[in-house]
Amino acid sequence: MSAVLPSDKPRPRLDGPEQPFWAGLKDRQIRVQRCDHCGRHRFPASRYCPHCHGPHSHWDAVGGEGEVESFCIFHKAYFPGFAAETPYAVIQVRLDSGVRFFSNLAGGADNAEIQIGMRVRAVFEDVDDALTLLKFRTAEAKP
Amino acid sequence: MAKAQAAVVGVGTTAYGRLPDYDAYDLGMWALTEALGDAGLKFEDIDGVIINRIPDYQRFCEIAGIDPQYVTITPGHGRFAAICIDTAISLVASGRCKTVALVYGNNGRSAGASYGGPEDSYGSGANGLWFPYGMTSPGAFHALMMRRHMGLYGTTPEQIAQVSMTFRNHAALNPQAVMREPFNLDTYLDARMICDPLRLLDYCLINDGGVAIIITAAERARDFPKPPVYLRGAALQTVFADSMFPPEDFWRGAMKKVTDRSFGDAGLSHADMSALMIYDNFTPTVLFSLEGCGYCGEGESGPFVAEGHLALGAKFPTNTSGGHLSESYMQGWALNVEAVRQLRGECGERQVSEAANVHYCAAAPVCSSIVYSRDAS
Ligand SMILES: [Zn+2]
């Protein structure tokens, strides 16, 4: 059996409908779709707005601060690329703009630190030249 | 209160477990043959077929040698058991069909079905987007919900354990169950974590098996060998908006709607239920269902289950077959059959005495509730 490298982690489809999102992360921005008709943000991508059904939208940068809504800790590695990191935490984050993501705390964070309701701020983690992931680190409580 | 329009007149199940010599078609045929025998019907009596999980409806009917007037096929998601039953009620109540066969075949264990990793398409199907973060599996989705429930209401692992332990105790009385060895709290807590806060014993059991149910109009239901079991109420409510992420209300709003509608049609209330069949893909789903259906208050399901209400002999004996956690993960179908068998008095050692009404429910992006009764009204 060959060694499992971190690069064996699954990769997203970078040239799919979310291409502007992935390109945005390279530029240190979180770009999500914004409806030209009703102004709401949405992610993942869809041609039509789920709220007003309008067909026109553009990709708009949103702020990187939000809150951990929940988290879980994987002890089982469903993907070989994650085996070396178990137990690893997945966090469910709601940005202040209302857009939600599943993600991880950026490198070195202790699973025991994670709490529901904790404030977090976006971190742009470069995997390689083509891929940057949106991760988070703990942030100061909202003033 | 309206009189029931439809009834179950036949049920059939295969053995559950590892059945590598049977594919999904074989398992469906086995179950359908049992159900027709149970109803005293022949294959040619079927004029409506609803297939679930078996790959192809045409091939299945070709193998069964039948040409029903009506046929449809539905995806192998557990929420579809109730959707199929609800549709069968409409077909017989409207007079469009006389005898509808619902056929489910699942060779997931032998086929190596996996609910996490590259093949995962739980929810709205865009999970591939989250794979780079290691997020995958319906189990993890429910772990996120459970963690939030624990944070909001103080629900504990010891309380969650009661669900799993109780269903295993029931399975010990069910010869058909795959896992029949009772376990204690220490065993539950020591079981390996899969996705914290969920442990191995919080997960359903993937197995091979098949289930079939025969539904006809209520006015015809007395002409069959077994006592009819009436479908007194059935309701569905979808929760699809933003459903890539866990619902903030733990599906309570939708579960309340389907319970209110189905209980209203049945003219029955919680206290009338002799037993509950709660879709238990994972233990938290049972907690969310109890709250949504109103068997306990919001956030109170932990203490409620710890008080022992779900055990045989208690107030609301639940998943008397062992359910998905201990009998086998037959995606809701076997729980509906257990409801029928309880009302017929066929459950042997696990029989609920004088069972009159049984409530099936499932909390998921399609919430459902079905009321089964011994009496038509
Ligand atoms: Zn819009």
Side-chain angles (χ1 to χ4, degrees):
Chain A
M1 217 173 89
S2 58
V4 175
L5 304 168
S7 58
D8 291 334
K9 286 182 177 176
R11 294 175 70 90
R13 188 181 156 201
L14 297 173
D15 61 352
E18 285 80 28
Q19 187 276 336
F21 168 75
W22 297 112
L25 297 183
K26 282 272 150 217
D27 298 338
R28 276 40 188 163
Q29 282 196 338
I30 306 168
R31 287 181 207 141
V32 298
Q33 255 178 317
R34 184 166 199 181
C35 178
D36 290 341
H37 309 271
C38 74
R40 293 206 211 206
H41 291 107
R42 64 183 187 261
F43 186 82
S46 61
R47 178 181 297 272
Y48 296 97
C49 172
H51 302 285
C52 74
H53 314 114
H56 300 295
S57 66
H58 63 281
W59 289 79
D60 189 28
V62 293
E65 294 215 4
E67 181 178 304
V68 172
E69 289 188 312
S70 194
F71 65 98
C72 61
I73 297 166
F74 282 76
H75 289 249
K76 178 180 165 98
Y78 292 92
F79 299 103
F82 280 94
E85 291 174 22
T86 57
Y88 69 89
V90 166
I91 55 175
Q92 175 189 323
V93 176
R94 184 192 287 271
L95 297 182
D96 295 340
S97 57
V99 183
R100 296 204 274 185
F101 295 93
F102 292 121
S103 184
N104 316 114
L105 285 187
D110 183 352
N111 291 340
E113 281 177 27
I114 308 171
Q115 284 179 6
I116 292 176
M118 164 173 118
R119 296 289 301 171
V120 288
R121 179 179 298 130
V123 171
F124 301 92
E125 199 174 275
D126 293 322
V127 175
D128 52 34
D129 287 347
L131 175 64
T132 298
L133 293 176
L134 173 60
K135 298 210 173 178
F136 291 87
R137 65 178 163 79
T138 54
E140 293 302 307
K142 222 173 170 179
Chain B
M1 163 176 91
K3 203 170 178 330
Q5 293 181 297
V8 175
V9 294
V11 292
T13 50
T14 65
Y16 305 137
R18 216 178 77 79
L19 304 163
D21 296 334
Y22 292 81
D23 65 16
Y25 296 94
D26 299 333
L27 293 162
M29 272 299 291
W30 177 353
L32 179 57
T33 306
E34 297 283 333
L36 289 169
D38 189 55
L41 289 170
K42 297 192 281 293
F43 277 85
E44 54 266 37
D45 295 323
I46 300 167
D47 63 354
V49 171
I50 301 178
I51 301 284
N52 185 232
R53 191 158 177 139
I54 296 167
D56 188 278
Y57 57 89
Q58 182 175 339
R59 181 63 186 144
F60 182 80
C61 291
E62 187 180 22
I63 291 169
I66 54 174
D67 281 311
Q69 294 172 27
Y70 178 87
V71 68
T72 192
I73 188 162
T74 55
H77 305 159
R79 57 195 78 158
F80 267 86
I83 299 173
C84 294
I85 293 166
D86 191 87
T87 302
I89 295 170
S90 296
L91 288 171
V92 299
S94 64
R96 300 289 297 270
C97 288
K98 277 177 77 172
T99 308
V100 178
L102 302 106
V103 188
Y104 168 81
N106 175 1
N107 65 334
R109 182 165 174 191
S110 293
S114 164
Y115 288 86
E119 304 304 315
D120 176 21
S121 64
Y122 178 76
S124 44
N127 286 0
L129 199 55
W130 312 118
F131 291 166
Y133 303 96
M135 176 58 191
T136 181
S137 81
F141 191 93
H142 288 77
L144 288 162
M145 290 178 76
M146 193 66 239
R147 174 70 66 191
R148 228 183 110 239
H149 198 276
M150 293 165 88
L152 282 170
Y153 308 114
T155 316
T156 66
E158 288 77 8
Q159 291 167 343
I160 304 167
Q162 291 300 322
V163 172
S164 189
M165 285 158 57
T166 302
F167 295 177
R168 181 61 60 85
N169 290 342
H170 294 168
L173 305 174
N174 175 11
Q176 202 173 2
V178 171
M179 299 296 273
R180 304 188 59 199
E181 189 72 31
F183 57 84
N184 61 22
L185 180 60
D186 287 339
T187 304
Y188 170 87
L189 293 171
D190 291 345
R192 72 174 186 273
M193 280 288 187
I194 305 292
C195 190
D196 188 350
L198 300 186
R199 297 165 165 83
L200 182 67
L201 294 169
D202 294 306
Y203 281 66
C204 63
L205 307 169
I206 294 171
N207 278 293
D208 304 326
V211 179
I213 297 177
I214 312 288
I215 291 176
T216 191
E219 68 263 21
R220 297 181 65 228
R222 293 225 158 269
D223 308 336
F224 293 85
K226 296 281 182 75
V229 169
Y230 294 97
L231 288 150
R232 288 270 293 271
L236 307 172
Q237 179 60 55
T238 63
V239 189
F240 293 146
D242 291 323
S243 59
M244 181 170 291
F245 295 89
E248 282 187 51
D249 74 344
F250 305 91
W251 293 304
R252 270 194 299 257
M255 289 302 282
K256 181 177 180 345
K257 281 184 193 169
V258 294
T259 304
D260 288 349
R261 274 154 40 197
S262 58
F263 282 23
D265 286 348
L268 296 169
S269 64
H270 298 85
D272 296 316
M273 298 304 152
S274 315
L276 313 182
M277 301 297 153
I278 303 181
Y279 192 88
D280 55 336
N281 47 354
F282 308 98
T283 46
T285 315
V286 176
L287 304 185
F288 308 152
S289 301
L290 289 165
E291 293 179 17
C293 294
Y295 289 99
C296 63
E298 175 179 331
E300 292 171 3
S301 55
F304 183 82
V305 299
E307 285 163 15
H309 299 302
L310 309 191
L312 273 163
K315 204 167 166 186
F316 294 115
T318 300
N319 295 10
T320 50
S321 57
H324 297 132
L325 293 170
S326 282
E327 185 191 43
S328 184
Y329 182 49
M330 290 290 113
Q331 300 189 279
W333 290 100
L335 285 171
N336 282 280
V337 168
E338 179 74 0
V340 170
R341 289 180 173 155
Q342 281 290 353
L343 291 165
R344 288 174 171 180
E346 295 177 339
C347 287
E349 279 190 275
R350 66 183 193 280
Q351 181 63 46
V352 173
S353 65
E354 295 174 51
N357 308 293
V358 178
H359 184 199
Y360 168 81
C361 64
V366 183
C367 289
S368 58
S369 169
I370 301 175
V371 178
Y372 291 91
S373 294
R374 217 172 37 191
D375 301 324
S377 61

